[in-house]
Amino acid sequence: MFSKFSTFLTLVLGIGVLGCVDENELEPGLEPVSKTSIDFVDKDLFIESAGDSLPLGISLDQMPTTDGQVSIQLGGTARYGLDYTTNPSAEDGVIELPILKGKQFYEIAVYRSSTLDTTDRQVSLTLLNPSEAFQLGTEKVSNMHLVKSLSEEPNNSEGAEVNFADSFVHLVEGEDYLIELTIEGSVEHTVPLTISIVTDGRVYGTHFTTSPASVLGEIDLEVNPGMESVFFSFNSINDRLSLGTFEILFQINDLNDDLTVGNNPTLTVKIEEDDVVSNELHSIAELRAKFEEHGDQFWLGDDYFIKGVITSGSNVQDDKIAYIQDSTGGIFLRFSSERMVTLGDHVQLNLKGATGALINGQKGMMDVNDLVGIKIAEKVYVQPEIITFEGLHSGLYQGKKVRIDNVFFPQANGVRTFEGNWAISNDHSGATVTTYSGAEFSGVVLPNGTLSIIGIVGDWGRILPQTYAQDIRR
């Protein structure tokens, strides 16, 4: 297998060497390809109506052959978040615009606030800091003017005014809230009312929802004649992820002549994170030491928090079992019902109500009720410890992810598959590799030849591989 790969690698390298040309060997008079220039399409644009928006074009003088980035500095007399917003959104007054290979034209959308402001204001946008393969052209600055038009004169005729009933709401993650907009006056006909949503990166449908549902960041409502209020519900999702507190801004826009916005056009909803990692964490080594303190069985009647990475996937006895590991050790967990943590989850779990017991010679916690815990990160890879068969049989690595090198399957015959219990050996010593029928690779044929095998040290000291492509290495 190595000889084929080496031959292929030599061919690839050979082609690469023959295809390379030193820039210093270019023929006289030939120059390297010039950098791609970036310019604004328009120097000046005008937004005359409250609640309107305009696209600001950015063009490249040639088709880019590589990815990159350019910054856009915002300035001027207009106030970001009050007088206008942008898409993509700005952070600390700067928009970071990615440049994609093969895309020559880009747009920045500037949204004017729906609040009627009689003062003319200006947004200046300046291109800065292009990536190495790009340069700024001659049109580096564009101005967006927010001006008052005659159509925005206050309407003295009969009509209605809409406001949010509140300007700020503070909720805890998982709470719901019915948002009210008050209607002063009356409309003659049904009038559409659109509410836009601005977030700080939280995702609709993952961290919160609304009813009616949002479409492309907007909620569509209606104001009917005689209405005094209109409502929509906000639903924060208890995502069990420790991501911190965040805010969502709701803003009234797209008004009809019969319906004007009042002096409270926005509502900020602050969602307080409730998935807090405990300060009273116990290491897995401490948990394992309780077996020596209390014998082979004990019960945890109070809160007992541990934090670690789930190292097991589908190769366990059933869907209630998982292994968790921190820097001090690993341990077997059996949940009270189907587990909801997956391979690579970095989680905090509360073991309150669980029972410590010896299961087939290994230390484990039975009847764990905290099925989800608090997820700190996902897809975390735990590096295995390289050990020998002697180390494996010492019992010091129970519940941990390990790697044993230079071994082979004596019973591999090109037909037998991983499912079951199979010996591995290095001619001097050996161990057992176990694969349950639920494992994704249970039907894969046992490989011949010398290899390295990675797995969790499970009951009776058996090795439990979890991901075939990573855990069986030739």
Side-chain angles (χ1 to χ4, degrees):
M1 187 168 185
F2 282 114
S3 62
K4 291 181 180 179
F5 178 76
S6 300
T7 303
F8 175 73
L9 182 61
T10 303
L11 288 171
V12 172
L13 289 175
I15 293 170
V17 169
L18 290 174
C20 290
V21 177
D22 192 329
E23 184 175 304
N24 295 326
E25 296 178 0
L26 291 172
E27 293 180 14
L30 291 181
E31 297 293 336
V33 176
S34 62
K35 292 186 176 183
T36 301
S37 292
I38 308 171
D39 290 277
F40 282 119
V41 175
D42 298 291
K43 286 186 177 182
D44 293 279
L45 289 171
F46 297 84
I47 304 180
E48 297 185 352
S49 299
D52 278 357
S53 64
L54 276 181
L56 174 61
I58 298 169
S59 66
L60 281 59
D61 66 342
Q62 58 185 356
M63 191 70 70
T65 58
T66 183
D67 292 340
Q69 183 172 292
V70 68
S71 302
I72 302 172
Q73 178 74 54
L74 302 180
T77 57
R79 301 159 297 179
Y80 193 87
L82 294 176
D83 300 314
Y84 75 102
T85 58
T86 60
N87 186 19
S89 58
E91 185 172 343
D92 296 327
V94 177
I95 299 171
E96 299 295 350
L97 181 67
I99 297 173
L100 305 179
K101 177 181 177 181
K103 184 175 179 181
Q104 199 170 352
F105 186 79
Y106 301 82
E107 286 185 345
I108 300 293
V110 178
Y111 298 88
R112 182 173 178 176
S113 169
S114 57
T115 305
L116 183 60
D117 188 345
T118 58
T119 305
D120 290 350
R121 298 184 184 274
Q122 175 186 318
V123 184
S124 65
L125 303 99
T126 306
L127 294 170
L128 296 171
N129 305 323
S131 300
E132 185 176 351
F134 302 88
Q135 64 184 5
L136 301 181
T138 57
E139 303 299 333
K140 294 180 287 188
V141 179
S142 181
N143 293 299
M144 186 74 69
H145 303 274
L146 312 181
V147 298
K148 177 176 175 293
S149 69
L150 294 176
S151 63
E152 290 181 335
E153 291 291 348
N155 185 1
N156 296 320
S157 62
E158 290 186 5
E161 183 180 272
V162 59
N163 287 285
F164 280 102
D166 301 301
S167 57
F168 182 83
V169 174
H170 191 176
L171 304 176
V172 176
E173 185 176 294
E175 286 187 329
D176 301 333
Y177 187 77
L178 188 63
I179 295 175
E180 179 184 8
L181 295 102
T182 61
I183 311 297
E184 296 182 11
S186 181
V187 295
E188 294 184 6
H189 308 283
T190 298
V191 177
L193 172 61
T194 303
I195 309 299
S196 61
I197 304 175
V198 180
T199 75
D200 60 355
R202 299 306 167 93
V203 179
Y204 186 93
T206 299
H207 304 111
F208 71 98
T209 60
T210 60
S211 182
S214 167
V215 178
L216 299 177
E218 293 184 336
I219 303 169
D220 292 324
L221 305 171
E222 287 185 344
V223 178
N224 296 315
M227 273 188 169
E228 295 182 355
S229 296
V230 62
F231 300 88
F232 68 94
S233 64
F234 173 84
N235 316 102
S236 65
I237 298 174
N238 195 344
D239 52 22
R240 306 297 290 172
L241 298 172
S242 184
L243 299 175
T245 298
F246 65 100
E247 293 184 352
I248 298 172
L249 177 71
F250 293 96
Q251 179 174 294
I252 302 170
N253 61 359
D254 288 349
L255 293 184
N256 185 280
D257 291 341
D258 295 330
L259 186 64
T260 59
V261 65
N263 57 11
N264 192 30
T266 63
L267 167 66
T268 299
V269 179
K270 182 176 183 179
I271 308 301
E272 195 74 34
E273 177 67 81
D274 74 338
D275 300 316
V276 179
V277 176
S278 172
N279 292 324
E280 299 181 3
L281 290 170
H282 298 274
S283 70
I284 293 178
E286 287 180 73
L287 177 61
R288 294 181 64 86
K290 294 184 76 68
F291 286 84
E292 281 70 43
E293 297 173 19
H294 303 286
D296 294 344
Q297 187 163 320
F298 59 90
W299 181 70
L300 296 174
D302 299 319
D303 288 334
Y304 195 94
F305 296 98
I306 62 171
K307 183 173 70 172
V309 178
I310 303 299
T311 54
S312 58
S314 59
N315 190 21
V316 286
Q317 189 172 6
D318 59 49
D319 59 12
K320 295 182 179 180
I321 292 173
Y323 284 83
I324 189 170
Q325 181 173 331
D326 66 9
S327 61
T328 69
I331 199 164
F332 164 94
L333 302 175
R334 184 174 183 84
F335 293 90
S336 56
S337 59
E338 182 178 348
R339 67 180 183 275
M340 298 180 70
V341 292
T342 59
L343 176 65
D345 285 349
H346 187 199
V347 294
Q348 171 188 284
L349 293 171
N350 189 352
L351 302 184
K352 181 179 180 179
T355 300
L358 286 178
I359 311 298
N360 295 338
Q362 70 175 329
K363 297 173 181 177
M365 300 304 299
M366 308 295 290
D367 296 321
V368 177
N369 294 312
D370 190 359
L371 305 179
V372 180
I374 295 173
K375 189 179 294 185
I376 302 163
E378 299 176 315
K379 298 180 181 178
V380 177
Y381 180 75
V382 174
Q383 291 289 345
E385 292 189 50
I386 302 174
I387 65 171
T388 61
F389 282 127
E390 290 71 25
L392 174 67
H393 297 311
S394 71
L396 297 175
Y397 297 93
Q398 188 185 83
K400 297 181 73 174
K401 188 175 180 180
V402 302
R403 186 178 104 194
I404 300 180
D405 295 328
N406 301 316
V407 298
F408 61 93
F409 287 97
Q411 295 160 294
N413 62 359
V415 177
R416 294 188 177 104
T417 63
F418 269 89
E419 183 176 353
N421 298 298
W422 302 106
I424 54 171
S425 175
N426 61 4
D427 287 331
H428 304 292
S429 185
T432 300
V433 171
T434 295
T435 305
Y436 291 99
S437 59
E440 297 173 359
F441 57 93
S442 61
V444 174
V445 174
L446 290 174
N448 288 298
T450 303
L451 49 80
S452 297
I453 190 162
I454 296 172
I456 301 165
V457 181
D459 54 351
W460 307 125
R462 298 180 298 177
I463 299 175
L464 309 176
Q466 297 299 316
T467 305
Y468 181 79
Q470 290 181 340
D471 294 355
I472 312 299
R473 300 182 178 183
R474 300 299 296 269

